[in-house]
Amino acid sequence: MGRSGAVTFKGTPLTLAGKALAVGDAAPDFKLHYYKDGLKELTLADLKGKPTLLSVVPSLDTPVCAIQTKKFNESVAALGDKINAVTVSLDLPFAQARFCGAEGITNMRVGSDYQDRNFGNSYGTLIEELKILSRAIFVLDGAGKVAYVEYVPEVASEPNYEPALAAVKSLA
């Protein structure tokens, strides 16, 4: 069930797999991978109990994705361990770890959807034509309900940071 024309990339309409999530929906489960002293898994259950900011990007090795990750990393620093903050992409876990080390990303975790794209399909962010994730922001409450969502209409554009940060701060 794709959503034709749901986003554009440099003006070209593209199809997002799955359905769009809305405020009030139960967040779908997922299994992401990250690298820290070996490959490890991150699931929705690991994040429950605290508000969560999920920042979804096509690839950390692109300028807008790097800006987005750095901006959220800076912005959530003051919240400390009151929230979870995760950047999700299809980059390999090793590349994500390298990026975070090189860029000083210490307040955001990273999770890779590279194995089966279960996150992209269930959160409605997988671009069918390109097989990468579109740019999106999700804020989940501590019980795993969607409290804020933004599917950025133009993949090459930055998200609307302030409403997402306001949503996660109001839950912290």
Side-chain angles (χ1 to χ4, degrees):
M1 177 185 112
R3 296 177 343 265
S4 181
V7 295
T8 59
F9 181 61
K10 297 188 177 180
T12 302
L14 297 170
T15 306
L16 293 180
K19 72 177 194 88
L21 295 181
V23 171
D25 287 349
D29 198 10
F30 55 81
K31 182 169 44 172
L32 301 171
H33 294 84
Y34 66 98
Y35 184 83
K36 184 176 181 180
D37 302 321
L39 278 177
K40 302 203 175 11
E41 289 182 357
L42 179 67
T43 66
L44 179 62
D46 297 324
L47 302 175
K48 284 192 175 173
K50 292 181 186 179
T52 298
L53 171 72
L54 295 171
S55 172
V56 185
V57 299
S59 175
L60 290 170
D61 284 324
T62 60
V64 177
C65 299
I67 289 167
Q68 178 175 328
T69 302
K70 290 179 204 176
K71 194 170 272 194
F72 276 130
N73 181 65
E74 245 177 59
S75 298
V76 301
L79 297 172
D81 66 355
K82 293 180 192 168
I83 68 159
N84 299 301
V86 182
T87 294
V88 180
S89 73
L90 286 174
D91 297 304
L92 292 177
F94 316 105
Q96 290 177 328
R98 178 203 47 78
F99 173 86
C100 289
E103 298 295 337
I105 306 297
T106 57
N107 303 308
M108 300 280 298
R109 297 171 76 180
V110 287
S112 176
D113 194 26
Y114 81 102
Q115 283 197 347
D116 60 8
R117 293 169 172 81
N118 70 83
F119 182 95
N121 281 302
S122 60
Y123 280 70
T125 61
L126 181 67
I127 300 172
E128 291 183 357
E129 294 87 349
L130 303 176
K131 304 299 184 236
I132 60 173
L133 300 180
S134 67
R135 190 173 315 283
I137 307 296
F138 302 94
V139 174
L140 312 179
D141 68 16
K145 284 224 185 265
V146 177
Y148 174 85
V149 62
E150 178 189 8
Y151 291 93
V152 180
E154 169 54 55
V155 177
S157 296
E158 290 180 62
N160 213 346
Y161 298 102
E162 291 313 314
L165 290 166
V168 77
K169 286 175 184 176
S170 75
L171 296 169

